[in-house]
Amino acid sequence: KLAAKNADLIVLNTPDAGIGGDTNQVTLVESKSTVELPETSKREVAERILDRFATAFTRLPQQAVVV
């Protein structure tokens, strides 16, 4: 799916853990790794995703586009 979307990172969420509540559980999927985050607050999930993006984008060439 990463290649089909031309994406570096996809975040998969668990609907049962995320819809209508204050928590969520996600999996971060990259070409070389998959990281399952434990069920935690939506704010913490967002912070972990942003941390991952910040780390990834410090290594990207200048022409990279964020969608």
Side-chain angles (χ1 to χ4, degrees), residues 16-28:
D16 294 341
I19 296 175
D22 295 328
T23 62
N24 202 350
Q25 182 178 3
V26 301
T27 302
L28 306 177

Side-chain angles (χ1 to χ4, degrees), residues 9 11 48-58 60 66-67:
L9 173 69
V11 180
R48 297 280 300 269
I49 293 168
L50 289 174
D51 287 346
R52 185 63 204 112
F53 275 119
T55 301
F57 289 138
T58 60
L60 290 177
V66 178
V67 185

Side-chain angles (χ1 to χ4, degrees), residues 4-59:
K5 300 255 182 211
N6 195 28
D8 296 310
L9 173 69
I10 293 178
V11 180
L12 306 173
N13 72 320
T14 305
D16 294 341
I19 296 175
D22 295 328
T23 62
N24 202 350
Q25 182 178 3
V26 301
T27 302
L28 306 177
V29 179
E30 298 179 74
S31 63
K32 297 180 182 175
S33 68
T34 299
V35 178
E36 290 187 33
L37 301 181
E39 185 170 344
T40 188
S41 73
K42 289 182 178 181
R43 180 179 184 92
E44 177 66 23
V45 169
E47 289 175 2
R48 297 280 300 269
I49 293 168
L50 289 174
D51 287 346
R52 185 63 204 112
F53 275 119
T55 301
F57 289 138
T58 60
R59 300 179 310 200

